[in-house]
Amino acid sequence: MKRIAAFLFAFFNRLMFAFDSLILVLIVGACFWLKNLQQILWLEAGTLGLFTLLFLLTGRWAARRSLAVGTVRRGSPQEKDADKVLRIFSLAEWLLEMLLYAMLGFFIMSFFMFDGRFGFWLHNGLLAALCIGLYCAERWIGRVRKQRGYGEYGL
């Protein structure tokens, strides 16, 4: 039984990683397909903006929902609501990971996109600032999760 559980864990972990890699491949492929630098930058702004907006909405939803549900004990009637809150927190953390993978794809493509040093360093400096914001967002969602009693574990 332990071997089957380990195999299933590895299989689902591989599926999740394959989806992350798919996003990276799609971004790199789109950047090679688009001819104009302005189109690539609009794609970058749209992709990163969409993931950021989805994270903000999901993070607020998780904070509101966790405040409404509160902490529950095992076997209580509110346990299903608490499981839903854990799933929302996991979704918010997953969106942060997708944002990080998208930033990685655009960072890799910056070596091919820019001819001059100024544009290259400006682009990567803005990505570094976004990475710092991503770190702060991850700390915020973790702090909310701990304060509301949902701990370090997830579904």
Side-chain angles (χ1 to χ4, degrees):
M1 189 67 180
K2 288 182 181 180
R3 285 185 181 191
I4 293 173
F7 174 75
L8 288 176
F9 177 76
F11 176 72
F12 287 119
N13 192 20
R14 177 64 66 190
L15 281 179
M16 189 174 79
F17 183 71
F19 185 73
D20 299 345
S21 300
L22 179 65
I23 287 178
L24 187 67
V25 166
L26 285 175
I27 287 173
V28 170
C31 288
F32 278 121
W33 181 65
L34 295 172
K35 303 291 183 211
N36 191 358
L37 178 63
Q38 186 177 9
Q39 293 173 342
I40 295 172
L41 292 177
W42 278 111
L43 172 72
E44 178 179 11
T47 304
L48 297 179
L50 178 69
F51 278 131
T52 304
L53 178 69
L54 287 174
F55 168 74
L56 289 175
L57 293 174
T58 308
R60 287 183 184 175
W61 182 33
R64 276 193 319 253
R65 192 85 173 130
S66 66
L67 189 60
V69 172
T71 56
V72 296
R73 294 193 183 269
R74 184 177 295 219
S76 67
Q78 295 89 7
E79 189 175 11
K80 288 184 181 179
D81 293 334
D83 288 343
K84 289 179 185 177
V85 171
L86 281 173
R87 286 186 188 100
I88 296 169
F89 275 120
S90 295
L91 177 64
E93 291 169 351
W94 180 79
L95 284 169
L96 280 177
E97 288 178 22
M98 292 302 106
L99 188 60
L100 185 65
Y101 283 118
M103 285 181 2
L104 178 66
F106 288 117
F107 173 73
I108 291 170
M109 289 311 300
S110 69
F111 291 102
F112 302 105
M113 291 189 303
F114 296 104
D115 292 334
R117 289 183 178 177
F118 179 74
F120 174 76
W121 287 110
L122 179 67
H123 176 262
N124 290 339
L126 291 174
L127 281 180
L130 186 61
C131 194
I132 292 169
L134 201 128
Y135 173 74
C136 293
E138 189 270 331
R139 289 196 49 161
W140 171 76
I141 199 76
R143 189 171 56 243
V144 168
R145 191 175 191 164
K146 267 189 175 176
Q147 285 175 351
R148 307 285 164 78
Y150 289 94
E152 293 291 324
Y153 49 89
L155 294 177

